Amino acid sequence: MVGFKATDVPPTATVKFLGAGTAACIADLITFPLDTAKVRLQIQGESQGPVRATAGAQYRGVLGTILTMVRTEGPRSLYNGLVAGLQRQMSFASVRIGLYDSVKQFYTKGSERTSPNVARNAIVNCAELVTYDLIKDALLTANLMTDDLPCHFTSAFGAGFCTTVIASPIDVVKTRYMNSALGQYSSASHCALTMLQKEGPRAFYKGFMPSFLRLGSWNVVMFVTYEQLKRALMAACTSREAPF
């Protein structure tokens, strides 16, 4: 057994909320520079907009982008907007991730196979949650792994890759559209069409590697930490309630 052992008592809503928010903040602290580098790579080439690269700076790859930013803007530039990100994770992720188990159990009650219902009925609109749950469930059902840290790591890594493939086009268009000058695009769909016509389909996956590194590492840190925090908090609660 690697990490904390699972308890017989299911985690309470408070444990889920606190664990999810804390785990998401830890994941953000570790992976934030990758997100910053991803955005810089995605908007590179835009001639105008509120967020522009330093004059003359050209970004090449994830590591090159990070090193260029540190050299031209200083190390703190990698964490611009971190406070807002942590506030968002503590308020949003705690609800989004903390509620997932409860919602899943509600919709799959009385069913021996949770997997189709999870994909079909989950109201939490986050690809990484559903994908993580499906991969983890498949690994456990096939007896390939036990409900332990290696299983959580593998499931989170797979969820990060699948989510990147699905979300990258939307993420690139969103970044381009929000960074565009006023009136440059009439809508997000116009931005997407312009990208397709001028740059081709590959433009929608610009910055894919930093996106995957960001989402993959974020998912691994967040889910592994979340699973361990749930078990640690429940173990603490159980030992506190146990008679002396």
Side-chain angles (χ1 to χ4, degrees):
M1 174 67 74
V2 181
F4 289 97
K5 296 181 179 180
T7 61
D8 294 331
V9 182
T12 63
T14 302
V15 168
K16 292 178 182 178
F17 277 39
L18 182 60
T22 304
C25 287
I26 293 174
D28 242 29
L29 281 169
I30 295 175
T31 64
F32 204 83
L34 294 173
D35 190 56
T36 304
K38 177 204 72 174
V39 172
R40 291 296 180 95
L41 284 170
Q42 287 178 343
I43 65 175
Q44 185 169 247
E46 288 286 305
S47 58
Q48 293 179 327
V51 180
R52 289 186 295 180
T54 303
Q58 290 295 318
Y59 302 126
R60 294 181 180 277
V62 184
L63 182 60
T65 300
I66 292 176
L67 292 177
T68 299
M69 290 182 63
V70 170
R71 185 177 66 252
T72 59
E73 304 173 52
R76 295 183 63 180
S77 64
L78 298 175
Y79 284 92
N80 285 338
L82 175 64
V83 175
L86 294 179
Q87 291 174 342
R88 175 181 179 273
Q89 294 299 349
M90 201 63 202
S91 58
F92 178 60
S94 59
V95 176
R96 176 173 70 97
I97 301 169
L99 279 179
Y100 180 72
D101 283 339
S102 300
V103 173
K104 182 188 72 173
Q105 291 168 8
F106 174 80
Y107 278 105
T108 59
K109 186 179 296 183
S111 173
E112 293 182 358
R113 293 187 58 81
T114 65
S115 300
N117 288 328
V118 169
R120 183 173 62 252
N121 298 321
I123 65 173
V124 183
N125 188 24
C126 301
E128 70 266 21
L129 287 172
V130 177
T131 309
Y132 173 82
D133 195 63
L134 291 174
I135 294 175
K136 180 181 172 183
D137 182 67
L139 291 173
L140 296 177
T141 302
N143 294 319
L144 296 176
M145 290 184 173
T146 58
D147 191 2
D148 206 348
L149 198 149
C151 177
H152 304 157
F153 181 94
T154 304
S155 302
F157 189 83
F161 178 78
C162 293
T163 304
T164 306
V165 172
I166 295 171
S168 275
I170 300 173
D171 190 43
V172 172
V173 172
K174 179 205 70 175
T175 303
R176 286 286 188 94
Y177 183 62
M178 293 178 65
N179 180 64
S180 64
L182 186 64
Q184 184 175 355
Y185 303 115
S186 60
S187 63
S189 58
H190 178 223
C191 176
L193 183 60
T194 301
M195 286 176 57
L196 181 62
Q197 291 174 338
K198 292 185 175 181
E199 304 175 56
R202 295 182 61 182
F204 293 100
Y205 284 92
K206 191 172 185 178
F208 179 85
M209 185 53 67
S211 293
F212 171 59
L213 291 176
R214 156 69 168 174
L215 274 176
S217 57
W218 192 93
N219 273 274
V220 168
V221 175
M222 196 283 299
F223 278 114
V224 169
T225 305
Y226 177 51
E227 296 277 10
Q228 294 301 305
L229 279 175
K230 281 196 303 182
R231 297 180 178 189
L233 290 171
M234 285 309 298
C237 292
T238 302
S239 62
R240 181 179 301 178
E241 295 172 359
F244 292 99

